[in-house]
Amino acid sequence: MQKKPELNGTLLEVKDLKVHFPLRGSFVERLVGREPGSVKAVDGVSFQLQRGEVLGLVGESGSGKTTLGRALLRLAEPTEGAIVYDGRDITRVEEREMRSLRRKMQIVFQDPHASLNPAMDLETAVGHPLSIHGVTKDKVDMRRRVSEMLERVGLAPADRFLTKYPGDLSGGQKQRAVLARAIMLNPDLLVADEPVSMLDMSVRAKILELMIGLKDEFDLTYLYITHDLATARFFCDRIAIMYLGRIVELGQTEEIFANPRHPYTASLLRAIPEPDPAKGIPRDLPRGEVPDAVTPPHGCNFHPRCPRAFEVCGWEARDVRDLLEERWAGMAEQEFTREQALIGDLDALDEVSEIARVPSTEGVRSRHVVELLERIRREQPETRLWKGARSIEEGGKEALIQFHEGLEPRHLVVDSVEVECHLYDDEARGRAEEHARKGRK
Amino acid sequence: MARPSLTRLFGPIREARGVPKWVVIAGIAITIAFVVFALFAPWIAPYDFDTYRTADGVRFPKQGHPSGDHLFGTNVQSTDVLSRVIYGARTALEVVILAVIFSLAVGLPLGLISGYFGGKLDRVLLLVMDSLFAFPYLLLAIVVAFLLSDRLGRGVMTAAVSISVVYVPQYYRVVRNHVISVREETYVEAARALGAKPRTVISRYILQNVIQNVPVIATLNAADAILTLAALGFLGYGIQPTDAAEWGYDLQRAISDAGAGIWWTGLFPGFAIVTLVTGLTLLGEGLNDVLNPVLRRRPIQAVILPERQSRLPAGEAGV
Ligand SMILES: Nc1ncnc2c1ncn2[C@@H]1O[C@H](COP(=O)(O)OP(=O)(O)OP(=O)(O)O)[C@@H](O)[C@H]1O
Ligand code: SF4
Ligand SMILES: [Mg+2]
């Protein structure tokens, strides 16, 4: 087999890719003509994939990893941006042309059981890529190639497996068959979407070893999707950390582990389960849920959970709601009732706005709400949100918290690592210092 | 290749326990009995369906009581009721098999295309099929039979086509809905990722998984189709009486006999209809239980609940 030289240039380049899934609004909403919005599964992602490398794509559930992987193969339609494969823009290539391109780009899905047609035996399934692309029509040749490939992925003797149906195989065997099918056409790129996460612990390492072997033998380039940083460290040359549709940090694996730049990466690393649970290292994944991808947080997506967020990170009304709810959840009932009696319906805070309008209850003067907010601020001055608050004022029936203008993090390169965070952006920091100075005066 | 798929089909029947198994076997037995009648009618039946006299030209008795010569008696046209019942099975199966083939031939591809591609085509087809479905089925069959009788005459073909028009929407609907759920399966996306054309995806990845439901619907619809055929015959829109024996027509002729105490002309065709419909229904329901693993019953183990402690005062507990 002819060896392709290692890392000779870019195989795939993604530029500001967005994949939005439109929500199907209710009938009434459509009648009224209101935009039902969309799930911003991938929201502006750029990276390059070098020939022969393994790039890890790591992130929590719902961060858009699978969608990004599917979009690269045009299995999900890109909304904006560009995908350049081997020097060719394939973002808008027609399905017909895409079909022949798929010989060179393959994907392995998370669930090996679901990836195989239950009504198709292994010989047909693994050989199907050959007949789809007309590589061979000859039954004998087909069987020979399939058998070779099955044995290569560890399903030996092949004769035993040719006539098996997916239902007869274990999870690990199925994933081997899926890999065999994917490699059959000798592709360049393999997107592996959590290929081992649904397998037993005992077989995970073996499948990963198999994938490493296949990569060397067939000169593959991998995009390895996982939520497990430990396997990513073992497997990947570079790692991209994804959060809510964006890649927030991308760099060499050692560099990411030794010196995480983005606060989210840092918290993920602290959250890697310790081998010895007795050590009881605190697992401090940032508090809170992953916000929903329909209306992502203002400014930096990560600011509601970020332990280092500051003035310009995008503070907004919804953060005030979270703050109040969290405060009340940990409070004695009596105090909670007294505070809650002052503040009206928190739904008023559910908007994307740099002014939080905290409503007062009927008959309560907004001055009391302002006083309450001031007190909360005094009690917990370290809460990040107050860094972003420019002023707290009375305004009719509500207290107004005005936040500093939020900025979207820019794509920065810091010592060979790509990162999207204001902490590394001198301009943003300058702006924040200015805000802070004015605040002190 | 064929053998494994056969065992895959019949495996579940062997594995099934308890009620469903017996249901299927009873259904199979009844259905086979009628198929035998249909296939071998000329050998089984003592006379032809329209014979009204012996070879020597002696006319059979009119509305003759069941006797040695005529086990089920004779009817108002002096034909042998037993022979007509047996030949009726032949007519029924011919029509039903044709009808199932026709409605599958139309409903299955339309359902596949509509479900896989979705979009405008899907909406239009769905609308058409739903309006067909909403139409009173007998009226629909009568209208079609009436329209076709000019061109095709009033034979088996016309009856089969008018019945299949009634059942196309059902096949379409079931297939379409199933395709829509199968389309979202990962293995379908995997097939697309391999570069398969829509035609390949449908025929190799979707059809095989959708077709499993078809035997069930087909048998259940066949049972229903027997009734529709009989109704057409009963109302006088069915098969020309000179063409073939047909139970519905016989029933209609037997109406006036009933008042006169002549029970055999109506009872036997009626009994044939009920038995075959029951047999096919049992077969269909049984197949459904056996082939559909979701519904397959597992032996239920008794659950022992702790003593119930009512918080309500004794008097209110029952409210
Ligand atoms: N076909 C779709 N239609 C609508 N929304 C979708 C679709 N596919 C994914 N989404 C949404 O896009 C977001 C990202 O999903 P995605 O599956 O890409 O995340 P993920 O990072 O792969 O998560 P996981 O680790 O759970 O696999 C989620 O909010 C999901 O609900
Ligand atoms: S920009 Fe950086 S510091 Fe600010 S919220 Fe985002 S991650 Fe945290
Ligand atoms: Mg995923």
Side-chain angles (χ1 to χ4, degrees):
Chain A
M1 181 166 289
Q2 189 195 340
K3 272 257 174 207
K4 295 168 207 158
E6 288 276 295
L7 301 185
N8 69 341
T10 310
L11 178 63
L12 182 81
E13 182 173 8
V14 175
K15 294 180 206 158
D16 200 25
L17 183 69
K18 296 186 182 175
V19 184
H20 295 180
F21 297 108
L23 288 176
R24 287 201 50 168
S26 70
F27 180 67
V28 176
E29 273 174 340
R30 268 179 287 160
L31 266 189
V32 182
R34 219 173 75 190
E35 268 296 306
S38 60
V39 181
K40 299 172 182 63
V42 175
D43 202 21
V45 158
S46 306
F47 66 93
Q48 292 190 348
L49 202 52
Q50 306 300 322
R51 256 180 212 284
E53 79 164 333
V54 180
L55 174 65
L57 188 61
V58 182
E60 284 170 279
S61 186
S63 51
K65 308 181 294 294
T66 301
T67 307
L68 175 55
R70 293 176 63 226
L72 298 185
L73 277 73
R74 291 282 308 280
L75 294 168
E77 273 315 293
T79 312
E80 252 180 61
I83 304 164
V84 180
Y85 177 79
D86 214 1
R88 173 163 180 214
D89 188 336
I90 59 164
T91 325
R92 303 283 166 220
V93 160
E94 281 205 18
E95 178 75 13
R96 190 186 304 267
E97 256 177 279
M98 203 53 222
R99 281 204 287 273
S100 58
L101 272 167
R102 292 207 172 112
R103 283 180 73 152
K104 292 289 157 205
M105 325 167 78
Q106 278 298 309
I107 184 165
V108 169
F109 294 103
Q110 181 171 16
D111 182 354
H113 178 65
S115 310
L116 290 167
N117 181 353
M120 207 183 245
D121 63 31
L122 274 201
E123 179 178 4
T124 323
V126 174
H128 207 198
L130 296 174
S131 53
I132 287 174
H133 292 281
V135 175
T136 177
K137 289 260 175 332
D138 179 40
K139 278 237 156 96
V140 181
D141 185 31
M142 175 99 88
R143 170 162 299 190
R144 188 183 52 77
R145 288 177 186 236
V146 171
S147 301
E148 263 171 28
M149 191 53 85
L150 286 180
E151 303 207 340
R152 176 63 194 83
V153 299
L155 296 176
D159 291 343
R160 270 235 322 271
F161 290 95
L162 286 173
T163 54
K164 288 250 159 71
Y165 284 84
D168 309 328
L169 303 179
S170 72
Q173 290 173 330
K174 274 181 264 198
Q175 201 61 299
R176 286 173 195 270
V178 170
L179 280 166
R181 181 176 66 180
I183 308 296
M184 205 70 207
L185 292 166
N186 197 5
D188 294 327
L189 170 68
L190 185 67
V191 175
D193 185 5
E194 309 203 29
V196 296
S197 70
M198 293 188 70
L199 304 178
D200 288 342
M201 273 301 175
S202 54
V203 289
R204 286 189 186 180
K206 289 194 194 131
I207 298 285
L208 287 179
E209 266 168 39
L210 170 65
M211 287 180 62
I212 293 176
L214 291 173
K215 171 185 174 316
D216 293 340
E217 188 171 331
F218 295 94
D219 297 310
L220 295 165
T221 305
Y222 281 143
L223 180 68
Y224 177 74
I225 299 176
T226 182
H227 56 248
D228 175 14
L229 267 169
T231 56
R233 180 179 206 169
F234 159 74
F235 199 61
C236 304
D237 303 319
R238 292 194 301 153
I239 288 183
I241 307 284
M242 198 160 176
Y243 185 79
L244 219 59
R246 298 190 71 102
I247 290 181
V248 295
E249 180 162 7
L250 195 164
Q252 298 293 326
T253 305
E254 313 83 64
E255 186 60 23
I256 296 267
F257 274 83
N259 189 5
R261 302 282 193 309
H262 198 279
Y264 179 60
T265 315
S267 348
L268 273 185
L269 284 177
R270 278 197 298 272
I272 292 184
E274 275 291 305
D276 179 11
K279 274 186 172 172
I281 299 256
R283 294 246 222 124
D284 81 326
L285 234 174
R287 69 192 156 77
E289 299 272 307
V290 180
D292 89 89
V294 180
T295 38
H298 183 53
C300 170
N301 276 344
F302 186 54
H303 81 260
R305 298 167 81 195
C306 180
R308 300 179 65 188
F310 57 108
E311 283 82 353
V312 291
C313 288
W315 297 103
E316 49 166 324
R318 287 179 293 175
D319 300 323
V320 177
R321 179 181 188 147
D322 292 344
L323 175 91
L324 288 172
E325 281 176 349
E326 200 184 331
R327 173 184 169 85
W328 290 343
M331 233 178 182
E333 180 143 356
Q334 223 181 356
E335 284 177 71
F336 157 68
T337 326
R338 200 171 48 211
E339 287 192 4
Q340 206 204 16
L342 298 177
I343 293 179
D345 191 355
L346 287 186
D347 287 348
L349 292 169
D350 277 347
E351 50 170 357
V352 187
S353 158
E354 287 179 352
I355 303 175
R357 303 170 185 279
V358 188
S360 57
T361 322
E362 271 307 318
V364 173
R365 304 263 296 278
S366 61
R367 183 164 52 84
H368 296 298
V369 178
V370 171
E371 278 165 9
L372 172 62
L373 291 170
E374 298 273 13
R375 198 173 73 233
I376 297 175
R377 183 180 194 165
R378 273 197 308 279
E379 282 171 19
Q380 312 168 324
E382 74 285 3
T383 302
R384 312 300 301 184
L385 173 111
W386 299 122
K387 282 199 174 235
R390 192 203 320 240
S391 61
I392 308 180
E393 290 163 4
E394 289 170 42
K397 293 189 167 180
E398 47 202 13
L400 303 179
I401 307 179
Q402 170 77 55
F403 291 110
H404 296 301
E405 188 194 350
L407 305 174
E408 280 203 13
R410 293 187 296 178
H411 193 92
L412 305 167
V413 179
V414 186
D415 312 331
S416 85
V417 174
E418 296 167 50
V419 60
E420 292 189 349
C421 171
H422 294 320
L423 288 170
Y424 305 91
D425 188 337
D426 291 338
E427 200 181 313
R429 294 187 74 128
R431 193 82 75 81
E433 260 160 40
E434 212 173 291
H435 289 319
R437 213 164 340 117
K438 274 188 204 149
R440 276 194 295 274
K441 273 185 208 161
Chain B
M1 285 296 295
R3 225 191 63 79
S5 40
L6 267 189
T7 44
R8 288 172 74 79
L9 187 65
F10 287 110
I13 297 187
R14 262 186 283 113
E15 280 162 30
R17 290 210 165 76
V19 184
K21 191 177 183 177
W22 289 109
V23 167
V24 190
I25 290 176
I28 289 177
I30 295 175
T31 312
I32 286 182
F34 275 89
V35 170
V36 168
F37 286 155
L39 288 179
F40 302 105
W43 292 276
I44 297 173
Y47 309 98
D48 232 347
F49 69 90
D50 52 359
T51 310
Y52 56 93
R53 56 186 177 191
T54 61
D56 333 329
V58 180
R59 211 181 155 92
F60 293 158
K62 188 176 168 189
Q63 296 171 323
H65 210 277
S67 66
D69 278 346
H70 304 284
L71 280 181
F72 286 3
T74 57
N75 63 15
V76 70
Q77 287 153 312
S78 302
T79 50
D80 180 59
V81 174
L82 175 60
S83 304
R84 286 194 66 86
V85 167
I86 291 171
Y87 272 97
R90 178 171 254 208
T91 314
L93 285 169
E94 266 174 20
V95 171
V96 164
I97 288 171
L98 280 177
V100 166
I101 292 174
F102 290 159
S103 30
L104 260 182
V106 180
L108 186 65
L110 287 185
L112 285 171
I113 291 169
S114 183
Y116 186 74
F117 292 105
K120 249 189 204 124
L121 178 77
D122 179 47
R123 281 198 295 270
V124 171
L125 276 173
L126 194 59
L127 188 71
V128 172
M129 291 293 175
D130 274 356
S131 7
L132 273 185
F133 188 70
F135 213 74
Y137 75 96
L138 199 51
L139 195 56
L140 184 63
I142 289 172
V143 169
V144 177
F146 183 75
L147 291 177
L148 286 178
S149 55
D150 286 349
R151 307 234 174 91
L152 295 177
R154 286 175 51 196
V156 167
M157 208 41 124
T158 305
V161 172
S162 34
I163 289 174
S164 44
V165 172
V166 173
Y167 297 103
V168 163
Q170 290 187 27
Y171 288 97
Y172 166 82
R173 256 254 120 110
V174 171
V175 170
R176 171 189 173 272
N177 290 350
H178 199 165
V179 169
I180 284 178
S181 73
V182 170
R183 188 183 60 179
E184 301 301 322
E185 293 282 348
T186 309
Y187 61 80
V188 173
E189 181 161 354
R192 278 219 295 141
L194 290 177
K197 296 193 188 82
R199 185 148 47 94
T200 318
V201 176
I202 292 177
S203 64
R204 303 297 299 279
Y205 289 83
I206 292 183
L207 181 63
Q208 281 170 304
N209 293 291
V210 167
I211 205 129
Q212 287 164 1
N213 274 355
V214 165
V216 176
I217 333 167
T219 23
L220 291 177
N221 276 347
D224 214 53
I226 301 275
L227 289 176
T228 310
L229 175 67
L232 279 180
F234 188 86
L235 295 174
Y237 296 97
I239 297 168
Q240 195 89 25
T242 49
D243 271 17
E246 200 273 310
W247 297 330
Y249 172 78
D250 287 355
L251 269 186
Q252 198 264 328
R253 300 300 305 239
I255 289 182
S256 46
D257 298 349
I262 302 167
W263 49 268
W264 54 90
T265 51
L267 179 72
F268 293 112
F271 188 69
I273 293 175
V274 172
T275 316
L276 181 52
V277 168
T278 312
L280 286 171
T281 309
L282 289 182
L283 180 63
E285 293 291 351
L287 280 180
N288 193 20
D289 280 9
V290 164
L291 293 182
N292 201 338
V294 185
L295 293 179
R296 206 183 294 169
R297 277 164 217 140
R298 297 256 149 69
I300 296 172
Q301 292 187 332
V303 179
I304 298 163
L305 291 171
E307 195 100 337
R308 181 160 167 231
Q309 293 187 339
S310 176
R311 287 201 190 152
L312 295 172
E316 290 171 32
V319 182

